[in-house]
Amino acid sequence: MEYRKSILVINGPNLNRLGKREPGIYGEKTLDDLQVELERAASKLFLDVTFRQSNIEGEIIDYIHDSSDAFEGIVLNAGAYTHYSYAIRDAIASVVVPVIEVHISNVHAREEFRRESVIAPVTIGQISGFGFDSYKLALQFFGNDLKMGE
Ligand code: DQA
């Protein structure tokens, strides 16, 4: 059977409110819709995806720690923790699994505090502002196994 990479998608605080939460910014679709879309995208890319959502910083840290043996990549929308959680930053730095930071909205086009990401320096990179496609672009990176500069 064909080998499929396993990717963990982690959604942080308030992302369980998608669809109800500030639809002008985050859209009308729900977290369940996101999961359905990502499963479809992942199957085309021959990836297996696992989903986690938590509003609790420590749980997100545990997901990252536990990813080491089971996953080959993490797509992380850390929500507002992106901007101030040194603990999540250190959790990412503590594992070898590559992490891509994603955001639904363009964090650079919003309030000043959203422009800073304390996790960005320990990720492969940040994809921000493409709605649910931000996650799909991250999956595409893992699916294609792109290596920048080659
Ligand atoms: C977000 C952007 C963050 O600034 C915000 O706190 C979120 C969602 C996004 O996906 O656009 O909760 O990560």
Side-chain angles (χ1 to χ4, degrees):
M1 216 186 72
E2 187 171 337
Y3 176 72
R4 293 167 81 93
K5 268 194 194 176
S6 292
I7 305 299
L8 178 63
V9 178
I10 305 175
N11 278 293
N14 299 307
L15 290 157
N16 56 316
R17 301 281 304 160
L18 282 177
K20 298 191 189 83
R21 169 192 190 199
E22 300 182 88
I25 295 172
Y26 299 112
E28 310 251 316
K29 292 191 275 187
T30 65
L31 189 63
D32 283 346
D33 294 331
L34 175 65
Q35 185 160 337
V36 169
E37 288 188 26
L38 293 191
E39 264 158 11
R40 200 178 301 139
S43 81
K44 288 186 194 149
L45 294 162
F46 304 102
L47 297 171
D48 283 328
V49 272
T50 298
F51 296 90
R52 298 275 181 270
Q53 190 277 327
S54 178
N55 295 320
I56 300 166
E57 187 178 27
E59 279 185 359
I60 296 168
I61 291 167
D62 286 343
Y63 297 151
I64 294 166
H65 291 170
D66 296 346
S67 69
S68 283
D69 300 326
F71 298 99
E72 287 144 296
I74 298 177
V75 179
L76 173 63
N77 186 346
Y81 284 139
T82 303
H83 313 299
Y84 67 93
S85 176
Y86 298 122
I88 291 178
R89 184 218 181 275
D90 284 353
I92 297 168
S94 82
V95 297
V96 292
V97 185
V99 176
I100 300 180
E101 173 187 343
V102 299
H103 301 284
I104 295 167
S105 64
N106 179 356
V107 289
H108 301 285
R110 299 181 61 195
E111 299 95 327
E112 186 70 40
F113 75 89
R114 294 187 206 276
R115 288 194 194 151
E116 187 183 10
S117 165
V118 300
I119 67 172
V122 289
T123 63
I124 306 181
Q126 183 194 68
I127 304 172
S128 175
F130 297 92
F132 285 4
D133 285 351
S134 294
Y135 297 79
K136 292 175 201 164
L137 289 165
L139 289 183
Q140 211 169 358
F141 175 87
F142 287 127
N144 293 345
D145 209 13
L146 295 175
K147 302 234 179 359
M148 297 305 168
E150 279 181 17

